Amino acid sequence: MYNAVMFIDEENSLKITALWKINTNRGTHASDPRSYYCLAFKMSGVATYKCGNEVVTANAGDVIFFPKGKAFIHKHDETQMFVVNFETLEDLKPNKFEVFTVESPEQYKAMFAQMFDIWNSKDKGYLFQVTSLFYQILGMLCKEVSNQDLEKSVPKTQIIREYILRNYSDPTLSISQLSTIFGTSDSYLRRIFQKEFGMAPKRYLFLLRMSQAENLLKSGHYNITEVALQCGFTNQKYFSNVFRQEFGMTPSKYLHDSKAGKLKREIRLE
């Protein structure tokens, strides 16, 4: 979740006017200004929305707020979304695109799907039920925005990264362990880490271990077993295999070439 300002406050009343399940083909499309707001749950695909100078990207599992009265261009993969159109008693501020990377996307997906089914049933009281679910979703988003405000000074991804840097030599360190320590789901951790650093936390941990292995081998002070243990690998054979896959040579060959001054490649983690 990247916007700290919630698009609606608790005192503003709203009315749901339509609810859709939309399938869109890959491509670039232009949308005219609308007389209503939208809140959508993205079930699949990646999309980029451009409105004036504002550009936002949404991934599968994100919740998206679409502003009223603004034309925009969207470019995306084949995608599927639940979309809720709604009106409000007072105009919303800020009236801009917002993308929420939520902690429990499956819960949001289930609630949007339930709204869609109830809306299409048109059973007596359906509008009350749909509106109730919609307010629950807004409440969940509001809470997540509030939690983000508390973490704004030091983003959670940075804290997790620092923890990995301090504990990469621990062979038991895993994504599930990180999720437990920092109170998130595995999927949420992977998504926020990917957005912040351009790679999954598992890949980051692996590259960090490989980078440290490089440094230790180049120092000439450690044998292969010692390097493996200090980089979080309890199995020397496994360490040698993954090292060869990453560098195209065994650790012993790397050590030999390093002493001979033949190496140029280094792993760099920003």
Side-chain angles (χ1 to χ4, degrees), residues 108 111 129-141:
Y108 283 87
M111 294 176 74
Q129 296 178 61
V130 168
T131 304
S132 174
L133 284 166
F134 193 59
Y135 273 116
Q136 288 180 54
I137 289 172
L138 295 178
M140 290 161 59
L141 287 175

Side-chain angles (χ1 to χ4, degrees), residues 150-167:
L150 296 176
E151 298 169 359
K152 190 175 180 181
S153 58
V154 183
K156 181 172 283 189
T157 48
Q158 294 291 346
I159 298 173
I160 295 171
R161 177 177 176 271
E162 290 298 322
Y163 186 89
I164 293 173
L165 289 171
R166 291 195 305 270
N167 296 278

Side-chain angles (χ1 to χ4, degrees), residues 187-206:
S187 59
Y188 179 71
L189 174 59
R190 287 193 294 268
R191 290 164 64 203
I192 63 173
F193 210 90
Q194 180 74 40
K195 284 189 175 181
E196 181 71 19
F197 301 112
M199 67 181 76
K202 183 177 181 179
R203 178 64 177 169
Y204 185 91
L205 174 60
F206 174 76

Side-chain angles (χ1 to χ4, degrees), residues 7 16 18-21 38-43 61-65 81-86 102 104-120 130 133-134 136-138 140-141:
F7 57 87
I16 296 174
L19 211 157
W20 311 92
K21 186 176 182 180
C38 298
L39 192 70
F41 178 83
K42 192 167 182 58
M43 289 182 281
D62 287 344
V63 176
I64 313 164
F65 170 72
M81 294 193 302
F82 286 115
V83 180
V84 180
N85 298 347
F86 66 98
V102 295
S104 302
E106 289 303 317
Q107 182 178 4
Y108 283 87
K109 180 180 178 180
M111 294 176 74
F112 273 90
Q114 187 178 2
M115 280 196 297
F116 178 75
D117 290 341
I118 294 172
W119 179 270
N120 286 291
V130 168
L133 284 166
F134 193 59
Q136 288 180 54
I137 289 172
L138 295 178
M140 290 161 59
L141 287 175

Side-chain angles (χ1 to χ4, degrees), residues 33 41 55 62 67 72 75 94 106 127 132 135 148 152 161 163-164 180 186 189 201 224 236 246 257 267:
F41 178 83
V55 180
D62 287 344
F72 61 90
K75 181 180 180 180
E106 289 303 317
L127 191 55
S132 174
Y135 273 116
Q148 189 220 7
K152 190 175 180 181
R161 177 177 176 271
Y163 186 89
I164 293 173
T180 300
D186 289 4
L189 174 59
I224 307 303
Q236 181 182 330
E246 186 66 30
D257 287 359
I267 289 179

Side-chain angles (χ1 to χ4, degrees), residues 203 206-208 210-211 213-215 218 242-249 254 257-258 261-269:
R203 178 64 177 169
F206 174 76
L207 290 181
L208 176 61
M210 291 293 98
S211 176
E214 278 189 294
N215 294 333
K218 286 179 179 179
V242 296
F243 190 94
R244 183 175 64 252
Q245 291 173 10
E246 186 66 30
F247 292 98
M249 66 180 73
Y254 191 97
D257 287 359
S258 177
K262 297 180 180 180
L263 295 176
K264 295 182 179 181
R265 180 190 170 183
E266 290 184 354
I267 289 179
R268 297 187 182 276
L269 290 172

